[in-house]
């Protein structure tokens, strides 16, 4: 199953290797042993001197990560900055009932119960690469439906240019650990309306054919596979149509390091590390990962490249 040569939307779920085959196939050594807790504002995850042993390219491949890898090595800062914090702490998050507010510049604003929000759409399985800005990556068999479905139902006004997303913020349920500078919760993300309408932009309700685990953003998250993982906002409670670029958590927090677009781009280095290569989480390896070359737009350039024609992607990073 190679994603690059086919539209991910064309990959039937029957082609995804069954979960059980993956769960036991690899001995998961714990990526934390090799990767460490590289936080956005913390240590440099890809040090120039150690990044590319031997200096040659690792072969590309897109074998899905195991369920264990996908659910035990996470970023969900509302539950702490450690990679294992979400799997240890997010289980207590109450995800039912769950309300999603759709508002802003649209004809059909509504407060939906999650079931009603999902019901009109056809659920599909899609395997996407996930490339974190910290330079680790995975391949995840998501389950969900196109974001465009919801947007069409909401009928954005002609004046709407962007879509903003918000994560639940409930300090009672979300034991973030103290860290500086503090994040101005709730976690916020956004897309240009044409990006959000692109068929690859996916609202996720599950993975490996089952309900989404809390640590992965239950009960509803985004998967925008050509952008760095932080654009794929988790546990969404609000979707708002706007006529300007909405403020987003990381671009507001550290604008020099994180832009609104955050398209995966091996040629635009993070101020503190290279983005040319990535650590594909792989529990069968001694250090819990293997090196791969990072692909422009995470390998989805044929599908989404036209969205950025004429844009200077070094400026709009
Ligand atoms: N969404 C919220 N609400 N809070 C977060 O901290 N982390 C982002 C993104 N969505 C994050 C979030 C980052 S940095 C990444 S790489 C992905 O979630 C990780 O998704 P995963 O844990 O399912 O692999």
């Amino acid at each position: 199953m190679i994603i690059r040569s086919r539209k991910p939307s064309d990959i039937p779920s029957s082609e995804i290797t069954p979960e059980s085959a993956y769960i036991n196939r690899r001995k998961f050594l714990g990526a934390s042993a090799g990767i460490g807790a590289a936080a956005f504002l913390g240590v440099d995850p890809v040090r120039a001197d150690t990044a590319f042993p031997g200096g040659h390219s690792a072969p590309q491949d897109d074998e899905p990560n195991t369920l264990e890898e996908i659910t035990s090595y996470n970023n969900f800062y509302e539950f702490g900055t450690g990679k294992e914090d979400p799997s240890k702490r997010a289980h207590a998050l109450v995800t039912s009932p769950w309300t999603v507010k759709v508002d802003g510049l649209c004809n059909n604003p509504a407060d939906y119960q999650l079931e009603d929000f999902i019901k009109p759409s056809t659920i599909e399985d899609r395997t996407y690469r996930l490339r974190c800005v910290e330079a680790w990556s995975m391949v995840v068999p998501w389950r969900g439906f196109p974001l465009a479905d919801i947007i069409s139902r909401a009928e954005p006004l002609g004046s709407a240019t962007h879509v903003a997303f918000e994560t639940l913020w409930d300090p009672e349920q979300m034991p973030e650990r103290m860290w500086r500078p503090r994040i101005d919760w709730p976690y916020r993300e956004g897309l240009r309306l044409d990006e959000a309408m692109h068929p690859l932009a996916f609202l996720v309700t599950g993975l490996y054919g089952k309900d989404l685990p809390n640590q992965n953003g239950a009960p509803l998250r985004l998967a925008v596979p050509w952008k760095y993982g932080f654009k794929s906002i988790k546990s969404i409670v609000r979707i708002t149509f706007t006529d300007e670029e909405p403020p987003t958590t990381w671009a507001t927090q550290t604008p020099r390091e994180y832009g609104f677009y955050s398209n995966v781009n091996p040629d635009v280095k993070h101020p503190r590390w290279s983005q040319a290569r990535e650590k594909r989480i792989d529990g069968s390896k001694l250090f819990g990962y293997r090196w791969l070359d990072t692909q422009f737009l995470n390998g989805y350039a044929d599908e989404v490249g036209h969205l950025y024609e004429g844009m200077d992607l070094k400026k709009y990073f």
Side-chain angles (χ1 to χ4, degrees), residues 229-298:
F230 68 85
K231 300 292 291 182
S232 292
I233 183 173
K234 297 180 168 180
S235 303
I236 296 168
V237 290
R238 187 170 178 192
I239 300 176
T240 306
F241 296 93
T242 67
D243 58 3
E244 57 188 1
E245 194 177 279
T248 58
T249 291
W250 287 106
T252 305
Q253 181 98 1
T254 324
R256 206 178 65 82
E257 303 196 342
Y258 307 106
F260 176 80
Y261 281 92
S262 292
N263 290 316
V264 174
N265 192 339
D267 298 329
V268 176
K269 74 182 280 297
H270 184 280
R272 288 182 283 134
W273 57 83
S274 165
Q275 296 290 24
R277 305 224 180 159
E278 64 199 60
K279 294 170 165 180
R280 176 65 52 81
I281 302 299
D282 182 345
S284 70
K285 301 287 183 226
L286 182 60
F287 293 111
Y289 60 83
R290 61 186 193 277
W291 285 108
L292 296 175
D293 288 335
T294 285
Q295 303 176 69
F296 179 54
L297 296 172
N298 207 17

Side-chain angles (χ1 to χ4, degrees), residues 157-168:
L157 303 182
S159 53
T161 56
H162 290 78
V163 196
F165 303 88
E166 249 178 58
T167 295
L168 175 75

Side-chain angles (χ1 to χ4, degrees), residues 73-108:
Y73 187 88
N74 300 100
N75 276 342
F76 200 166
Y77 276 22
E78 288 87 334
F79 295 94
T81 54
K83 293 288 179 273
E84 290 161 10
D85 287 338
S87 57
K88 283 191 192 138
R89 304 212 196 124
H91 54 85
L93 178 69
V94 177
T95 58
S96 177
W98 191 269
T99 308
V100 184
K101 181 184 269 306
V102 176
D103 65 354
L105 301 172
C106 64
N107 284 323
N108 301 319

Side-chain angles (χ1 to χ4, degrees), residues 183-229:
I183 286 185
D184 179 20
W185 307 110
Y187 193 100
R188 292 189 177 87
E189 259 310 330
L191 296 169
R192 241 173 35 197
L193 189 56
D194 59 339
E195 295 178 315
M197 285 296 291
H198 192 279
L200 285 186
F202 203 50
L203 272 173
V204 169
T205 58
L207 63 84
Y208 266 118
K210 296 192 181 143
D211 285 349
L212 197 58
N214 286 0
Q215 59 267 41
N216 295 93
L220 184 75
R221 70 170 292 168
L222 263 187
V224 192
W226 69 95
K227 291 179 178 282
Y228 289 119

Side-chain angles (χ1 to χ4, degrees), residues 101-159:
K101 181 184 269 306
V102 176
D103 65 354
L105 301 172
C106 64
N107 284 323
N108 301 319
D111 285 345
Y112 289 98
Q113 283 309 307
L114 184 71
E115 302 68 41
D116 302 327
F117 184 82
I118 295 172
K119 210 185 295 163
S121 294
T122 306
I123 299 294
E124 314 165 34
D125 291 318
R126 292 194 191 176
T127 299
Y128 282 166
R129 294 182 206 94
L130 170 73
R131 168 60 157 85
C132 180
V133 75
E134 296 164 341
W136 57 267
S137 69
M138 295 208 200
V139 175
V140 187
W142 299 117
R143 166 164 284 193
F145 58 95
L147 175 59
D149 281 12
I150 293 298
I151 297 178
S152 308
R153 268 186 261 152
E155 292 182 14
L157 303 182
S159 53

